[in-house]
Amino acid sequence: MVISLIDGILKKINIEFLSKFFRKLYLRKLMDSMRGYRVLKRTNRLPFLHSLRIQIDARKLTGISGKLNKSVFFASDYEPEVSIRQYLLVRLLLYKYVNLSLLSYFGKPKSKILLPFPKEWRDLVREQGVSIHEGLSKFFWGLEVALLWMKGIYEILSFTLNTLKSGFKSMESNDGATVFFEGISSKCLPRVGKDGKSYDIISWYLQWENKNPNIRTIYHNVKGISDFEYQNIKVLYRKNLIAFGNSILISIRLWLWFCKVFLSNLIDIVLGRWWNLVLIGESFYAYYLRIQKQAVLCNDYMFQSDWTYRPLWTYEAEKKGSRVLFYFYSTNSEGIRTESGYKPVDYDWRSLTWSHYLVWDTHQAEFMRQVIPEWQKTEIVGPIWLSNSDKEVPKISGKTISVFDVQPMRYSIYHMLGAPYEYFIPDNAIRFVDDICSIGKELDFKIIWKRKREVGNHIHPRFENFLKRNERKENVILLDPEVAAIRLIQETDICISMPFTSTALIGKHLNKPSCYYDASGLVTQGDKGAHGIEIVSGPDDLRKWLLNQKRP
């Protein structure tokens, strides 16, 4: 947050010499990190970053024990230390600068790196043999805390002032049963095709058998979208997940709470108790819901699987009868099993504390049971749609194969992901597509190739050139990445996916022949990440598999 804020300020004020200085500094850091990545690869230590993130996730913030501000952490429904750790994982550990800094150390091992982390996490990084500039790291960590605290203060003042502006005439309440979709984009809103259908998350919810049957209004927070009606249900924009309340008594209680917390926070600042500062804005929304007596909540709240941090107010919402649902829009959670075995579970899954998960199948349900407490509810619902486009799939005669890849990123971006092994790289991606196109042509199949997403200039140049060459092949059609995968699978005979994209499960769900094709030979048979879908390895096995599908 601190680094990105500085970068944003420099871009806005357009101070040329400073911009050039920081740009040069970043490029030098980037070169060091790329060199560091090559060192880790050469010494068979690529899993280092992944392993370190897991250890950071598990390292408790022991310094906060017994020193919590009861006005900030007033509820017993959650563990404050876990919520603080979740919040910091999202704010700090998922930012690309962290991997950039860690990798740059291995590219320039005698240097010291800057990591704006709490003390427990800085100590852990040092335990792994990485030298940290303690003074600068401590300073920037303090600055990070200050920015998070000021952000919380701003959110509180903005929310309460908006309630005052709206007057004290009535309480805003939701009209009938409602659902709120948090964190979606405009691509996740309904776009009806020629067949009268749309395959987005809202359309999925409305056909889900366990939806609230009395839904009259759907809310989202996608800016710039006009309100509209879909399937006789109003779809409306609303900035806040919680409706404003205009009660004079509520407003007085909120201001009293804020004054109390603000004054106690001044003492926390003097004593260095940072943990009482970073979640003040989150705590405000939770307190607001706790003191409400009228219904200002939606019946359902839908959070997609990018949300490692669970907002504090959601615990209060559940106590007041709302369903808070965490849904997976994909199944690629376990990773790939190599000769050395499965990689450890990703740090962000271990941190989840949601109470109701919507998963695709029994395999994903079992995976979640391994990483979350047993009392959490896991509901199997089949493939969950996410984004959609009104662009159509062209009508093609003859036998057809839908192909779903994972586009490799250019090296300067890919290396910062900290992957414990190299799989989604140009060699594997090119062989995956090339084998399918070549054997498909040999067996008289038409190939409809849908890229995973549009990544712009982040795409690896080698793969981009390969992409352009294939555009000219007679038996290959490149489809717009925005087209819903389910539309393409419905219109084709066979589905082939790169391990372990979720499209293979959609194919299986639609009773289409579906497999994962591994051109590299790195993926082992029986990998649980395949969710029971057949894994085809190498061109010879692919030819046999396709011949079997051609037989009547």
Side-chain angles (χ1 to χ4, degrees), residues 332-384:
N332 189 9
S333 307
E334 296 96 329
I336 294 172
R337 183 179 70 182
T338 60
E339 290 181 355
S340 57
Y342 288 105
K343 71 169 185 174
V345 175
D346 285 337
Y347 64 97
D348 45 354
W349 302 127
R350 292 182 186 273
S351 303
L352 300 182
T353 54
W354 303 84
S355 55
H356 194 161
Y357 299 87
L358 304 183
V359 299
W360 288 40
D361 59 12
T362 55
H363 297 274
Q364 194 170 37
E366 180 58 31
F367 169 74
M368 291 307 297
R369 291 189 189 102
Q370 293 174 10
V371 297
I372 60 175
E374 293 183 1
W375 57 268
Q376 312 281 16
K377 181 178 180 180
T378 303
E379 186 175 346
I380 299 171
V381 298
I384 299 175

Short mmCIF file of all heavy atoms in Angstrom, two decimals, residues 332-384:
data_model
loop_
_atom_site.label_atom_id
_atom_site.label_comp_id
_atom_site.label_asym_id
_atom_site.label_seq_id
_atom_site.Cartn_x
_atom_site.Cartn_y
_atom_site.Cartn_z
N ASN A 332 -9.31 -24.73 -9.87
CA ASN A 332 -7.86 -24.90 -9.92
C ASN A 332 -7.23 -24.42 -8.61
O ASN A 332 -6.57 -23.38 -8.57
CB ASN A 332 -7.29 -24.14 -11.12
CG ASN A 332 -5.82 -24.46 -11.36
OD1 ASN A 332 -5.27 -25.36 -10.74
ND2 ASN A 332 -5.20 -23.71 -12.25
N SER A 333 -7.46 -25.17 -7.54
CA SER A 333 -7.02 -24.76 -6.21
C SER A 333 -5.85 -25.59 -5.68
O SER A 333 -5.03 -25.09 -4.92
CB SER A 333 -8.18 -24.87 -5.21
OG SER A 333 -9.32 -24.18 -5.66
N GLU A 334 -5.80 -26.86 -6.07
CA GLU A 334 -4.82 -27.76 -5.48
C GLU A 334 -3.43 -27.64 -6.08
O GLU A 334 -2.44 -27.99 -5.45
CB GLU A 334 -5.28 -29.22 -5.62
CG GLU A 334 -6.56 -29.54 -4.86
CD GLU A 334 -7.79 -29.44 -5.76
OE1 GLU A 334 -7.79 -28.64 -6.70
OE2 GLU A 334 -8.75 -30.18 -5.51
N GLY A 335 -3.33 -27.18 -7.31
CA GLY A 335 -2.04 -27.16 -7.98
C GLY A 335 -1.75 -28.50 -8.64
O GLY A 335 -2.60 -29.40 -8.68
N ILE A 336 -0.55 -28.66 -9.16
CA ILE A 336 -0.17 -29.85 -9.93
C ILE A 336 0.79 -30.72 -9.13
O ILE A 336 1.72 -30.22 -8.50
CB ILE A 336 0.48 -29.43 -11.26
CG1 ILE A 336 -0.57 -28.73 -12.15
CG2 ILE A 336 1.09 -30.62 -11.99
CD1 ILE A 336 0.00 -28.11 -13.40
N ARG A 337 0.55 -32.03 -9.17
CA ARG A 337 1.45 -32.96 -8.50
C ARG A 337 2.60 -33.30 -9.44
O ARG A 337 2.39 -33.77 -10.56
CB ARG A 337 0.72 -34.25 -8.11
CG ARG A 337 1.61 -35.22 -7.33
CD ARG A 337 0.87 -36.48 -6.94
NE ARG A 337 0.56 -37.32 -8.10
CZ ARG A 337 -0.12 -38.45 -8.05
NH1 ARG A 337 -0.62 -38.86 -6.88
NH2 ARG A 337 -0.35 -39.16 -9.14
N THR A 338 3.82 -33.07 -9.00
CA THR A 338 5.00 -33.39 -9.79
C THR A 338 5.64 -34.64 -9.20
O THR A 338 5.10 -35.27 -8.29
CB THR A 338 6.00 -32.23 -9.76
OG1 THR A 338 6.40 -31.98 -8.40
CG2 THR A 338 5.36 -30.96 -10.31
N GLU A 339 6.81 -35.00 -9.70
CA GLU A 339 7.50 -36.19 -9.21
C GLU A 339 7.83 -36.08 -7.73
O GLU A 339 7.94 -37.09 -7.03
CB GLU A 339 8.78 -36.41 -10.02
CG GLU A 339 8.52 -36.85 -11.46
CD GLU A 339 9.81 -37.08 -12.22
OE1 GLU A 339 10.89 -36.82 -11.64
OE2 GLU A 339 9.75 -37.52 -13.38
N SER A 340 8.00 -34.86 -7.24
CA SER A 340 8.33 -34.66 -5.83
C SER A 340 7.08 -34.60 -4.95
O SER A 340 7.17 -34.38 -3.75
CB SER A 340 9.13 -33.37 -5.65
OG SER A 340 8.41 -32.25 -6.17
N GLY A 341 5.91 -34.80 -5.57
CA GLY A 341 4.66 -34.83 -4.80
C GLY A 341 3.85 -33.56 -4.98
O GLY A 341 4.15 -32.71 -5.82
N TYR A 342 2.78 -33.44 -4.18
CA TYR A 342 1.92 -32.26 -4.23
C TYR A 342 2.61 -31.09 -3.56
O TYR A 342 3.33 -31.25 -2.57
CB TYR A 342 0.59 -32.52 -3.52
CG TYR A 342 -0.33 -33.45 -4.25
CD1 TYR A 342 -0.50 -34.77 -3.83
CD2 TYR A 342 -1.04 -33.03 -5.36
CE1 TYR A 342 -1.35 -35.64 -4.49
CE2 TYR A 342 -1.89 -33.89 -6.04
CZ TYR A 342 -2.04 -35.19 -5.60
OH TYR A 342 -2.87 -36.04 -6.27
N LYS A 343 2.39 -29.92 -4.10
CA LYS A 343 2.88 -28.73 -3.41
C LYS A 343 2.01 -28.50 -2.17
O LYS A 343 0.85 -28.93 -2.12
CB LYS A 343 2.81 -27.50 -4.32
CG LYS A 343 1.41 -27.00 -4.59
CD LYS A 343 1.42 -25.64 -5.26
CE LYS A 343 -0.01 -25.11 -5.41
NZ LYS A 343 -0.07 -23.75 -5.94
N PRO A 344 2.55 -27.84 -1.13
CA PRO A 344 1.73 -27.54 0.05
C PRO A 344 0.53 -26.66 -0.34
O PRO A 344 0.58 -25.94 -1.34
CB PRO A 344 2.70 -26.77 0.96
CG PRO A 344 4.06 -27.15 0.48
CD PRO A 344 3.94 -27.39 -0.99
N VAL A 345 -0.50 -26.73 0.46
CA VAL A 345 -1.70 -25.94 0.19
C VAL A 345 -1.36 -24.46 0.22
O VAL A 345 -0.58 -23.99 1.05
CB VAL A 345 -2.78 -26.24 1.25
CG1 VAL A 345 -3.99 -25.33 1.06
CG2 VAL A 345 -3.22 -27.70 1.16
N ASP A 346 -1.92 -23.71 -0.73
CA ASP A 346 -1.66 -22.27 -0.79
C ASP A 346 -2.02 -21.59 0.52
O ASP A 346 -3.01 -21.92 1.17
CB ASP A 346 -2.46 -21.62 -1.92
CG ASP A 346 -1.86 -21.95 -3.27
OD1 ASP A 346 -0.68 -22.27 -3.32
OD2 ASP A 346 -2.60 -21.89 -4.27
N TYR A 347 -1.23 -20.60 0.89
CA TYR A 347 -1.41 -19.90 2.16
C TYR A 347 -2.79 -19.29 2.31
O TYR A 347 -3.36 -19.28 3.38
CB TYR A 347 -0.35 -18.81 2.29
CG TYR A 347 -0.45 -17.72 1.27
CD1 TYR A 347 -1.10 -16.54 1.54
CD2 TYR A 347 0.09 -17.88 -0.01
CE1 TYR A 347 -1.21 -15.54 0.59
CE2 TYR A 347 -0.01 -16.89 -0.96
CZ TYR A 347 -0.66 -15.73 -0.65
OH TYR A 347 -0.77 -14.74 -1.59
N ASP A 348 -3.38 -18.79 1.21
CA ASP A 348 -4.64 -18.07 1.36
C ASP A 348 -5.81 -19.00 1.68
O ASP A 348 -6.76 -18.58 2.32
CB ASP A 348 -4.95 -17.23 0.12
CG ASP A 348 -4.72 -17.97 -1.17
OD1 ASP A 348 -4.21 -19.10 -1.13
OD2 ASP A 348 -5.06 -17.42 -2.23
N TRP A 349 -5.75 -20.26 1.25
CA TRP A 349 -6.85 -21.17 1.60
C TRP A 349 -6.82 -21.51 3.08
O TRP A 349 -7.87 -21.65 3.72
CB TRP A 349 -6.76 -22.45 0.77
CG TRP A 349 -6.79 -22.26 -0.71
CD1 TRP A 349 -5.90 -22.73 -1.63
CD2 TRP A 349 -7.76 -21.52 -1.47
NE1 TRP A 349 -6.24 -22.34 -2.90
CE2 TRP A 349 -7.39 -21.59 -2.83
CE3 TRP A 349 -8.91 -20.80 -1.13
CZ2 TRP A 349 -8.11 -20.98 -3.85
CZ3 TRP A 349 -9.63 -20.19 -2.15
CH2 TRP A 349 -9.23 -20.28 -3.47
N ARG A 350 -5.66 -21.67 3.66
CA ARG A 350 -5.56 -22.01 5.09
C ARG A 350 -6.14 -20.92 5.98
O ARG A 350 -6.52 -21.18 7.11
CB ARG A 350 -4.10 -22.25 5.47
CG ARG A 350 -3.48 -23.48 4.84
CD ARG A 350 -2.04 -23.65 5.32
NE ARG A 350 -1.38 -24.74 4.64
CZ ARG A 350 -1.43 -26.01 5.03
NH1 ARG A 350 -2.13 -26.34 6.10
NH2 ARG A 350 -0.79 -26.94 4.37
N SER A 351 -6.17 -19.71 5.47
CA SER A 351 -6.57 -18.57 6.30
C SER A 351 -8.08 -18.32 6.30
O SER A 351 -8.56 -17.46 7.04
CB SER A 351 -5.87 -17.29 5.80
OG SER A 351 -4.49 -17.45 5.81
N LEU A 352 -8.84 -19.04 5.48
CA LEU A 352 -10.26 -18.74 5.33
C LEU A 352 -11.05 -19.04 6.60
O LEU A 352 -10.82 -20.06 7.26
CB LEU A 352 -10.85 -19.54 4.16
CG LEU A 352 -10.25 -19.30 2.78
CD1 LEU A 352 -10.98 -20.14 1.74
CD2 LEU A 352 -10.30 -17.84 2.41
N THR A 353 -12.01 -18.16 6.91
CA THR A 353 -12.87 -18.37 8.08
C THR A 353 -14.34 -18.14 7.73
O THR A 353 -15.15 -17.83 8.60
CB THR A 353 -12.47 -17.41 9.23
OG1 THR A 353 -12.45 -16.06 8.74
CG2 THR A 353 -11.11 -17.77 9.80
N TRP A 354 -14.68 -18.27 6.45
CA TRP A 354 -16.08 -18.14 6.07
C TRP A 354 -16.86 -19.35 6.57
O TRP A 354 -16.28 -20.41 6.83
CB TRP A 354 -16.20 -18.01 4.55
CG TRP A 354 -15.42 -16.86 4.00
CD1 TRP A 354 -14.09 -16.85 3.69
CD2 TRP A 354 -15.90 -15.54 3.74
NE1 TRP A 354 -13.71 -15.61 3.24
CE2 TRP A 354 -14.80 -14.79 3.25
CE3 TRP A 354 -17.15 -14.92 3.85
CZ2 TRP A 354 -14.91 -13.44 2.88
CZ3 TRP A 354 -17.26 -13.60 3.47
CH2 TRP A 354 -16.16 -12.87 3.00
N SER A 355 -18.16 -19.21 6.69
CA SER A 355 -18.95 -20.30 7.27
C SER A 355 -19.78 -21.07 6.26
O SER A 355 -20.33 -22.12 6.59
CB SER A 355 -19.88 -19.74 8.36
OG SER A 355 -20.69 -18.70 7.85
N HIS A 356 -19.88 -20.59 5.01
CA HIS A 356 -20.71 -21.27 4.01
C HIS A 356 -20.02 -21.15 2.65
O HIS A 356 -19.94 -20.07 2.08
CB HIS A 356 -22.11 -20.62 3.97
CG HIS A 356 -23.12 -21.43 3.23
ND1 HIS A 356 -24.48 -21.25 3.39
CD2 HIS A 356 -23.00 -22.42 2.31
CE1 HIS A 356 -25.13 -22.10 2.60
NE2 HIS A 356 -24.25 -22.81 1.94
N TYR A 357 -19.54 -22.30 2.14
CA TYR A 357 -18.81 -22.33 0.88
C TYR A 357 -19.64 -23.03 -0.19
O TYR A 357 -20.24 -24.09 0.06
CB TYR A 357 -17.48 -23.08 1.04
CG TYR A 357 -16.54 -22.46 2.03
CD1 TYR A 357 -16.61 -22.79 3.39
CD2 TYR A 357 -15.58 -21.53 1.64
CE1 TYR A 357 -15.74 -22.22 4.31
CE2 TYR A 357 -14.71 -20.96 2.55
CZ TYR A 357 -14.79 -21.30 3.89
OH TYR A 357 -13.94 -20.73 4.80
N LEU A 358 -19.64 -22.46 -1.39
CA LEU A 358 -20.29 -23.09 -2.54
C LEU A 358 -19.20 -23.63 -3.45
O LEU A 358 -18.39 -22.86 -3.98
CB LEU A 358 -21.16 -22.08 -3.29
CG LEU A 358 -22.24 -21.35 -2.47
CD1 LEU A 358 -23.06 -20.43 -3.38
CD2 LEU A 358 -23.15 -22.34 -1.76
N VAL A 359 -19.18 -24.96 -3.63
CA VAL A 359 -18.13 -25.60 -4.40
C VAL A 359 -18.73 -26.37 -5.57
O VAL A 359 -19.93 -26.65 -5.61
CB VAL A 359 -17.28 -26.54 -3.53
CG1 VAL A 359 -16.60 -25.75 -2.40
CG2 VAL A 359 -18.13 -27.68 -2.94
N TRP A 360 -17.88 -26.78 -6.51
CA TRP A 360 -18.35 -27.40 -7.75
C TRP A 360 -18.69 -28.88 -7.59
O TRP A 360 -19.66 -29.36 -8.16
CB TRP A 360 -17.28 -27.26 -8.84
CG TRP A 360 -17.12 -25.88 -9.38
CD1 TRP A 360 -17.15 -24.71 -8.68
CD2 TRP A 360 -16.90 -25.52 -10.74
NE1 TRP A 360 -16.95 -23.65 -9.51
CE2 TRP A 360 -16.79 -24.11 -10.79
CE3 TRP A 360 -16.76 -26.24 -11.92
CZ2 TRP A 360 -16.56 -23.41 -11.97
CZ3 TRP A 360 -16.53 -25.55 -13.10
CH2 TRP A 360 -16.43 -24.15 -13.13
N ASP A 361 -17.84 -29.62 -6.88
CA ASP A 361 -18.02 -31.07 -6.84
C ASP A 361 -17.46 -31.65 -5.55
O ASP A 361 -16.97 -30.91 -4.68
CB ASP A 361 -17.36 -31.73 -8.06
CG ASP A 361 -15.86 -31.45 -8.15
OD1 ASP A 361 -15.28 -30.95 -7.17
OD2 ASP A 361 -15.26 -31.74 -9.21
N THR A 362 -17.53 -32.98 -5.43
CA THR A 362 -17.07 -33.65 -4.21
C THR A 362 -15.56 -33.48 -4.02
O THR A 362 -15.08 -33.44 -2.88
CB THR A 362 -17.42 -35.14 -4.25
OG1 THR A 362 -16.88 -35.73 -5.45
CG2 THR A 362 -18.92 -35.35 -4.23
N HIS A 363 -14.81 -33.42 -5.11
CA HIS A 363 -13.36 -33.26 -5.00
C HIS A 363 -13.00 -31.91 -4.37
O HIS A 363 -12.14 -31.84 -3.49
CB HIS A 363 -12.72 -33.36 -6.39
CG HIS A 363 -12.91 -34.69 -7.05
ND1 HIS A 363 -12.06 -35.76 -6.85
CD2 HIS A 363 -13.86 -35.13 -7.93
CE1 HIS A 363 -12.47 -36.79 -7.56
NE2 HIS A 363 -13.56 -36.43 -8.23
N GLN A 364 -13.68 -30.85 -4.81
CA GLN A 364 -13.40 -29.54 -4.23
C GLN A 364 -13.91 -29.46 -2.80
O GLN A 364 -13.27 -28.83 -1.94
CB GLN A 364 -14.05 -28.44 -5.08
CG GLN A 364 -13.55 -27.05 -4.74
CD GLN A 364 -14.01 -26.01 -5.74
OE1 GLN A 364 -15.13 -26.06 -6.26
NE2 GLN A 364 -13.14 -25.05 -6.05
N ALA A 365 -15.01 -30.13 -2.53
CA ALA A 365 -15.53 -30.16 -1.16
C ALA A 365 -14.54 -30.85 -0.22
O ALA A 365 -14.29 -30.37 0.90
CB ALA A 365 -16.88 -30.88 -1.13
N GLU A 366 -13.95 -31.94 -0.69
CA GLU A 366 -12.97 -32.65 0.12
C GLU A 366 -11.73 -31.80 0.35
O GLU A 366 -11.15 -31.78 1.45
CB GLU A 366 -12.59 -33.97 -0.56
CG GLU A 366 -11.57 -34.80 0.19
CD GLU A 366 -12.01 -35.17 1.61
OE1 GLU A 366 -13.24 -35.32 1.83
OE2 GLU A 366 -11.14 -35.29 2.50
N PHE A 367 -11.31 -31.09 -0.69
CA PHE A 367 -10.16 -30.20 -0.56
C PHE A 367 -10.41 -29.15 0.51
O PHE A 367 -9.55 -28.87 1.36
CB PHE A 367 -9.87 -29.54 -1.90
CG PHE A 367 -8.87 -28.41 -1.82
CD1 PHE A 367 -7.52 -28.67 -1.65
CD2 PHE A 367 -9.29 -27.09 -1.91
CE1 PHE A 367 -6.61 -27.63 -1.57
CE2 PHE A 367 -8.39 -26.05 -1.84
CZ PHE A 367 -7.04 -26.32 -1.67
N MET A 368 -11.62 -28.56 0.50
CA MET A 368 -11.94 -27.52 1.47
C MET A 368 -12.02 -28.09 2.89
O MET A 368 -11.64 -27.42 3.85
CB MET A 368 -13.25 -26.83 1.09
CG MET A 368 -13.17 -25.99 -0.17
SD MET A 368 -11.82 -24.79 -0.13
CE MET A 368 -12.31 -23.77 1.25
N ARG A 369 -12.50 -29.32 3.00
CA ARG A 369 -12.58 -29.92 4.35
C ARG A 369 -11.19 -30.15 4.95
O ARG A 369 -11.03 -30.22 6.16
CB ARG A 369 -13.34 -31.25 4.28
CG ARG A 369 -14.82 -31.09 3.97
CD ARG A 369 -15.58 -32.40 4.13
NE ARG A 369 -16.95 -32.26 3.64
CZ ARG A 369 -17.38 -32.71 2.46
NH1 ARG A 369 -16.54 -33.37 1.68
NH2 ARG A 369 -18.62 -32.55 2.09
N GLN A 370 -10.20 -30.26 4.08
CA GLN A 370 -8.84 -30.46 4.56
C GLN A 370 -8.20 -29.18 5.06
O GLN A 370 -7.25 -29.23 5.85
CB GLN A 370 -7.97 -31.05 3.43
CG GLN A 370 -8.36 -32.46 3.03
CD GLN A 370 -7.57 -32.93 1.82
OE1 GLN A 370 -6.61 -32.29 1.38
NE2 GLN A 370 -7.96 -34.07 1.26
N VAL A 371 -8.71 -28.04 4.61
CA VAL A 371 -8.05 -26.78 4.96
C VAL A 371 -8.89 -25.85 5.83
O VAL A 371 -8.39 -24.82 6.27
CB VAL A 371 -7.62 -26.01 3.68
CG1 VAL A 371 -6.59 -26.81 2.91
CG2 VAL A 371 -8.81 -25.67 2.81
N ILE A 372 -10.15 -26.20 6.08
CA ILE A 372 -10.99 -25.36 6.93
C ILE A 372 -11.57 -26.20 8.05
O ILE A 372 -11.66 -27.43 7.94
CB ILE A 372 -12.13 -24.68 6.14
CG1 ILE A 372 -13.05 -25.74 5.51
CG2 ILE A 372 -11.59 -23.74 5.09
CD1 ILE A 372 -14.26 -25.16 4.83
N PRO A 373 -12.00 -25.60 9.17
CA PRO A 373 -12.59 -26.35 10.27
C PRO A 373 -13.80 -27.16 9.83
O PRO A 373 -14.55 -26.75 8.95
CB PRO A 373 -12.98 -25.24 11.26
CG PRO A 373 -12.07 -24.11 10.94
CD PRO A 373 -11.85 -24.17 9.46
N GLU A 374 -14.00 -28.29 10.47
CA GLU A 374 -15.07 -29.20 10.07
C GLU A 374 -16.46 -28.61 10.23
O GLU A 374 -17.39 -29.00 9.53
CB GLU A 374 -14.97 -30.50 10.87
CG GLU A 374 -13.72 -31.31 10.52
CD GLU A 374 -13.67 -32.63 11.27
OE1 GLU A 374 -14.62 -32.89 12.05
OE2 GLU A 374 -12.70 -33.38 11.11
N TRP A 375 -16.62 -27.66 11.15
CA TRP A 375 -17.98 -27.14 11.38
C TRP A 375 -18.45 -26.21 10.28
O TRP A 375 -19.62 -25.87 10.20
CB TRP A 375 -18.05 -26.41 12.72
CG TRP A 375 -17.08 -25.27 12.86
CD1 TRP A 375 -15.82 -25.32 13.38
CD2 TRP A 375 -17.28 -23.92 12.46
NE1 TRP A 375 -15.21 -24.09 13.33
CE2 TRP A 375 -16.09 -23.20 12.78
CE3 TRP A 375 -18.33 -23.22 11.86
CZ2 TRP A 375 -15.94 -21.85 12.53
CZ3 TRP A 375 -18.17 -21.87 11.62
CH2 TRP A 375 -17.00 -21.20 11.95
N GLN A 376 -17.55 -25.78 9.39
CA GLN A 376 -17.96 -24.92 8.29
C GLN A 376 -18.83 -25.70 7.31
O GLN A 376 -18.62 -26.87 7.07
CB GLN A 376 -16.73 -24.36 7.56
CG GLN A 376 -15.65 -23.78 8.47
CD GLN A 376 -15.99 -22.39 8.95
OE1 GLN A 376 -17.13 -21.97 8.86
NE2 GLN A 376 -15.02 -21.68 9.48
N LYS A 377 -19.78 -25.04 6.68
CA LYS A 377 -20.69 -25.68 5.74
C LYS A 377 -20.14 -25.59 4.32
O LYS A 377 -19.81 -24.52 3.85
CB LYS A 377 -22.08 -25.03 5.80
CG LYS A 377 -23.09 -25.68 4.87
CD LYS A 377 -24.46 -25.03 5.00
CE LYS A 377 -25.47 -25.68 4.06
NZ LYS A 377 -26.82 -25.07 4.18
N THR A 378 -20.06 -26.75 3.66
CA THR A 378 -19.62 -26.80 2.26
C THR A 378 -20.75 -27.39 1.43
O THR A 378 -21.18 -28.51 1.69
CB THR A 378 -18.35 -27.65 2.12
OG1 THR A 378 -17.33 -27.13 2.97
CG2 THR A 378 -17.86 -27.65 0.69
N GLU A 379 -21.22 -26.63 0.45
CA GLU A 379 -22.37 -27.05 -0.36
C GLU A 379 -21.94 -27.26 -1.81
O GLU A 379 -21.37 -26.37 -2.44
CB GLU A 379 -23.45 -25.97 -0.29
CG GLU A 379 -24.75 -26.35 -0.97
CD GLU A 379 -25.82 -25.30 -0.77
OE1 GLU A 379 -25.66 -24.41 0.10
OE2 GLU A 379 -26.84 -25.37 -1.49
N ILE A 380 -22.22 -28.46 -2.34
CA ILE A 380 -21.87 -28.80 -3.72
C ILE A 380 -22.99 -28.33 -4.64
O ILE A 380 -24.14 -28.74 -4.49
CB ILE A 380 -21.65 -30.31 -3.87
CG1 ILE A 380 -20.49 -30.78 -2.96
CG2 ILE A 380 -21.36 -30.67 -5.32
CD1 ILE A 380 -20.33 -32.28 -2.89
N VAL A 381 -22.63 -27.47 -5.63
CA VAL A 381 -23.66 -26.84 -6.46
C VAL A 381 -23.41 -27.02 -7.96
O VAL A 381 -24.18 -26.53 -8.78
CB VAL A 381 -23.76 -25.33 -6.14
CG1 VAL A 381 -24.17 -25.11 -4.70
CG2 VAL A 381 -22.43 -24.62 -6.44
N GLY A 382 -22.33 -27.73 -8.36
CA GLY A 382 -22.02 -27.85 -9.78
C GLY A 382 -21.24 -26.64 -10.26
O GLY A 382 -20.90 -25.74 -9.49
N PRO A 383 -20.93 -26.57 -11.58
CA PRO A 383 -20.17 -25.44 -12.13
C PRO A 383 -20.86 -24.10 -11.86
O PRO A 383 -22.07 -23.97 -12.02
CB PRO A 383 -20.13 -25.73 -13.63
CG PRO A 383 -20.25 -27.22 -13.72
CD PRO A 383 -21.18 -27.61 -12.60
N ILE A 384 -20.07 -23.13 -11.42
CA ILE A 384 -20.58 -21.78 -11.12
C ILE A 384 -20.11 -20.84 -12.22
O ILE A 384 -18.92 -20.69 -12.44
CB ILE A 384 -20.09 -21.31 -9.74
CG1 ILE A 384 -20.60 -22.26 -8.64
CG2 ILE A 384 -20.54 -19.88 -9.46
CD1 ILE A 384 -20.05 -21.94 -7.25
#
